[in-house]
Amino acid sequence: MHLRERADKIWSTAQLLNGCINQHEYGKIILPFTVLRRLDELLDPTREKVLAMYEKRKKLDPEALENLLNQIAGYRFHNCSNFNLKSLVNDTHNLRANLTEYIRGFSRHPKDIFNCFNFEALLAKLEEKQLLFPIVKEFSTQSYNDLTPMQMGSVFEYLICKLAETNNETEGEHFTPWDVSHLMVNILFEGGIDSLFQKNIQYSLYDPACGNSGLLSVSNEFVKNFYPDTSLLLFGQDLNPENYAISKSIVLIKGQNPAQIKLGNSFTSDKLNMQRFHYMLCHPPFHVEWIEEKKFIEDEHTKKGFGGRFGAGLPRLNDGSMLFLQHLISKMREEKQGSRIGILLDESLLSYGEVDSGENKFRQWLIEKDYLESIIALPNQLFFHTDSSIYFWIINNRKSKERRSKVQLMNAAELYKEMIPFQNYKRKFITPELIQKITREYAQFKDSKICRIFDSNEFGYHRIILERPRRDFIGNSMQKSGKLIPDIELRRFKNIPLKENVQIYFEKKILPYLKDAWIDHGKTQIGYKIHFDRYFYDYASL
């Protein structure tokens, strides 16, 4: 509550913007200024020493100079201008020019953050609306010195949450609420590699659509709280410059390595191309189009096949979430070492597409490789600005012995509390007690009211083509070269469960009703669909 109150106090600065700035733009001002004030305070005790060393050694190689000044500052950043926020407000006539010079005096990581916040354009806008001085003065009076890096990071995350709550645009759809983030992290780490965790080993966590770094932050908090002797290295990439700036800000504020957060399209410009990770978490945008990346992705699919990321198949152009999962799988370590992936997906990948579709080919490959460990149905209306049904998938290329050739389905769709008052579409949340309940059910790996364990082939089927003969006008079967001629108009398709013998099934359940039918075995295909609701029909009233 203390940290929430601190965030509320910072957010109250938005009162200065009323009537001049649209509400959904408040975060574009409050977030970068909060970062600026935090860095400003941290650097203040060593400012004079840094400036003195800069004047003395400024002809050094830029990288060597940056490392030297960072060392004197005591952080992964420094500032070599002659300003701080308190001195800036003493010269109102030159405030914008001096503040611009101050920002340009930062080392590369903060400078990168403020560039991606488009901070200089923001200063011009605030000056035009006569808001620059009151905003700078207000933030210069705030102090966060009593907060640890983790606490300050939490305050910043509360600010992001408030932004998602108040934003009437669609950005909130891609914000992962904390209750969902905590559930994802609990489940991901419950089935840990190396018995979660071992001392003196650096584990890695990656998110290719890291947004505001919420999943990275919650994961790091989990490890710090429960495994303080374990090191978790955080890696992320995001396409949106502002999301990248927010994510990098949190990592920087929390004292972690900001160089491991990358800007760019994870599909066409993978900045962590050669790296593999122990753990991966992702909440990709749902129904995202990949038209702009189409040529690049199709070329990789065609030319590299399974040597690339997309060999198993390509989805529809209007739903690229499957591409994120394939991208993550490509970054798994070898099976002897193992990696675990947790990803939020909507219902489309469960059953969309016929046997020749990219979605089906990918499902078949994923299940036959025995990578699919669990799918958990979550309540709808958990997210801001969307009421879609969401599923949490766990992918594991080193399953425990009991989970091999098995898939666990869990129906947690009714495990929630109502939000009063609700915020946009977010009408439900998962309490800490329910998070623990879901995590326990997942870990126990037993059939229950909300959990079902299946053999992997339960979801597979043979798609057969049933042919019947073409007949002449007196009803005789027509032949050519001693073979029956099929009647295209009488052709039928039938799905036979993979665990059934096709010929026996045909003879017992089809032939008695279609005595002249036969199977064109050369055209039989294999499909996989997960009709989730079918397996929990008996429990729909829970």
Side-chain angles (χ1 to χ4, degrees):
M1 286 301 298
H2 168 64
L3 297 179
R4 286 181 184 271
E5 289 168 1
R6 295 294 291 271
D8 288 341
K9 184 177 179 181
I10 296 172
W11 190 261
S12 68
T13 305
Q15 294 175 359
L16 298 170
L17 309 174
N18 285 344
C20 298
I21 302 291
N22 293 328
Q23 187 181 46
H24 72 268
E25 296 183 295
Y26 287 176
K28 298 179 184 295
I29 298 167
I30 292 174
L31 296 180
F33 270 102
T34 301
V35 174
L36 180 59
R37 181 53 178 152
R38 175 61 170 181
L39 303 186
D40 184 70
E41 275 196 300
L42 291 177
L43 295 177
D44 203 51
T46 60
R47 188 177 304 278
E48 296 302 324
K49 291 182 180 179
V50 169
L51 289 175
M53 183 59 71
Y54 173 73
E55 290 300 325
K56 184 178 178 181
R57 307 295 297 274
K58 60 185 177 182
K59 293 184 179 180
L60 273 177
D61 172 78
E63 185 173 351
L65 179 61
E66 177 168 342
N67 292 336
L68 175 62
L69 297 181
N70 285 354
Q71 186 176 4
I72 295 173
Y75 300 101
R76 297 180 187 269
F77 55 91
H78 68 269
N79 189 295
C80 55
S81 79
N82 292 310
F83 299 104
N84 61 18
L85 278 186
K86 288 188 176 180
S87 68
L88 284 167
V89 296
N90 295 326
D91 186 358
T92 57
H93 295 293
N94 298 300
L95 178 57
R96 178 184 161 195
N98 292 342
L99 183 50
T100 300
E101 183 179 339
Y102 179 39
I103 294 299
R104 293 176 180 177
F106 275 109
S107 51
R108 59 190 173 112
H109 290 307
K111 193 182 297 182
D112 186 28
I113 288 170
F114 290 115
N115 284 340
C116 288
F117 272 128
N118 205 11
F119 198 63
E120 291 189 18
L122 172 64
L123 299 183
K125 182 176 182 178
L126 291 175
E127 184 179 58
E128 179 186 350
K129 294 181 177 292
Q130 299 183 334
L131 291 170
L132 183 58
F133 176 75
I135 288 292
V136 175
K137 183 178 181 180
E138 171 61 28
F139 275 93
S140 71
T141 64
Q142 295 183 14
S143 178
Y144 318 131
N145 268 336
D146 59 316
L147 300 175
T148 67
M150 288 294 289
Q151 289 173 329
M152 187 65 208
S154 295
V155 168
F156 198 72
E157 287 159 1
Y158 281 122
L159 291 174
I160 296 167
C161 187
K162 291 187 72 68
L163 175 63
E165 292 169 4
T166 59
N167 195 343
N168 291 322
E169 297 187 345
T170 59
E171 284 87 343
E173 180 179 346
H174 309 312
F175 174 81
T176 313
W178 282 6
D179 53 340
V180 181
S181 297
H182 280 282
L183 175 64
M184 293 172 68
V185 169
N186 274 30
I187 297 289
L188 182 74
F189 290 148
E190 175 62 36
I193 306 158
D194 302 328
S195 302
L196 191 75
F197 282 97
Q198 293 184 3
K199 294 181 181 179
N200 304 319
I201 294 181
Q202 285 191 326
Y203 291 85
S204 55
L205 178 77
Y206 169 63
D207 183 347
C210 62
N212 55 61
S213 85
L215 293 174
L216 298 178
S217 294
V218 173
S219 299
N220 190 58
E221 178 185 340
F222 179 96
V223 173
K224 290 289 185 185
N225 287 342
F226 294 101
Y227 303 92
D229 296 325
T230 297
S231 175
L232 185 66
L233 302 179
L234 306 180
F235 296 83
Q237 183 165 334
D238 202 273
L239 172 66
N240 181 285
E242 187 171 320
N243 286 344
Y244 163 75
I246 292 172
S247 186
K248 193 167 183 175
S249 298
I250 292 178
V251 169
L252 189 69
I253 285 171
K254 289 188 173 184
Q256 298 158 7
N257 187 359
Q260 292 168 179
I261 305 300
K262 307 294 184 180
L263 175 63
N265 188 313
S266 292
F267 297 152
T268 60
S269 182
D270 181 8
K271 300 295 180 62
L272 296 162
N273 182 37
M274 301 304 294
Q275 294 194 239
R276 301 293 180 266
F277 304 97
H278 294 85
Y279 295 94
M280 288 167 264
L281 268 178
C282 187
H283 169 194
F286 304 135
H287 307 296
V288 63
E289 292 185 347
W290 51 283
I291 295 174
E292 293 183 4
E293 299 89 352
K294 181 176 183 289
K295 185 179 186 308
F296 185 97
I297 291 172
E298 287 183 343
D299 283 350
E300 182 171 332
H301 170 72
T302 302
K303 295 176 182 179
K304 294 185 178 181
F306 286 98
R309 295 170 291 176
F310 311 114
L314 298 179
R316 296 158 291 162
L317 281 173
N318 64 351
D319 189 1
S321 56
M322 186 180 104
L323 298 174
F324 279 99
L325 178 50
Q326 290 174 286
H327 173 75
L328 290 172
I329 290 172
S330 75
K331 293 187 174 294
M332 299 178 89
R333 303 184 309 158
E334 293 181 1
E335 294 180 14
K336 289 183 179 180
Q337 299 172 314
S339 294
R340 286 172 60 79
I341 295 170
I343 185 170
L344 287 177
L345 298 169
D346 67 7
E347 69 277 6
S348 63
L349 192 53
L350 292 171
S351 58
Y352 180 86
E354 297 303 329
V355 289
D356 56 350
S357 69
E359 285 85 354
N360 176 71
K361 291 176 182 176
F362 174 69
R363 279 192 299 269
Q364 178 181 354
W365 176 84
L366 184 70
I367 294 174
E368 290 182 353
K369 289 284 288 185
D370 200 22
Y371 286 174
L372 179 58
E373 178 173 295
S374 182
I375 302 176
I376 304 172
L378 302 181
N380 60 9
Q381 299 182 321
L382 280 179
F383 294 81
F384 301 104
H385 308 299
T386 180
D387 58 356
S388 299
S389 297
I390 307 299
Y391 298 81
F392 183 46
W393 293 50
I394 293 290
I395 310 299
N396 187 355
N397 67 345
R398 203 183 81 174
K399 289 183 179 181
S400 62
K401 186 176 180 179
E402 65 176 351
R403 289 182 179 268
R404 290 173 193 162
S405 300
K406 303 286 185 182
V407 175
Q408 177 185 33
L409 301 185
M410 291 181 59
N411 181 16
E414 301 302 322
L415 299 180
Y416 63 86
K417 293 288 186 181
E418 294 279 354
M419 289 188 68
I420 303 176
F422 66 86
Q423 297 159 341
N424 295 314
Y425 279 102
K426 184 168 174 59
R427 297 170 179 261
K428 301 171 183 177
F429 70 100
I430 308 173
T431 65
E433 293 76 18
L434 290 175
I435 289 174
Q436 292 303 318
K437 175 180 173 58
I438 296 169
T439 304
R440 282 195 304 270
E441 290 275 356
Y442 162 79
Q444 288 170 0
F445 194 62
K446 296 178 180 178
D447 284 333
S448 69
K449 289 183 177 180
I450 66 168
C451 180
R452 301 286 304 278
I453 311 299
F454 298 95
D455 292 331
S456 297
N457 64 3
E458 175 72 28
F459 311 107
Y461 59 91
H462 291 102
R463 185 167 179 79
I464 65 170
I465 294 180
L466 293 173
E467 301 284 17
R468 297 176 67 190
R470 187 189 303 174
R471 299 183 182 275
D472 60 25
F473 67 96
I474 60 173
N476 293 324
S477 298
M478 298 177 66
Q479 296 187 17
K480 183 177 181 180
S481 301
K483 293 183 179 181
L484 292 172
I485 300 174
D487 188 333
I488 295 176
E489 293 185 0
L490 296 178
R491 180 176 292 164
R492 297 291 183 267
F493 297 91
K494 178 69 176 177
N495 294 341
I496 299 177
L498 204 60
K499 57 188 178 182
E500 299 270 4
N501 180 285
V502 172
Q503 190 60 35
I504 294 175
Y505 187 98
F506 171 72
E507 291 173 359
K508 287 187 175 181
K509 298 187 177 182
I510 298 176
L511 201 54
Y513 305 99
L514 299 173
K515 298 184 183 300
D516 58 353
W518 74 91
I519 301 174
D520 187 343
H521 289 286
K523 296 179 180 178
T524 297
Q525 294 176 285
I526 293 178
Y528 280 83
K529 290 179 183 287
I530 303 173
H531 297 289
F532 206 97
D533 292 341
R534 179 187 301 172
Y535 302 112
F536 291 95
Y537 179 80
D538 293 337
Y539 310 122
S541 62
L542 292 178

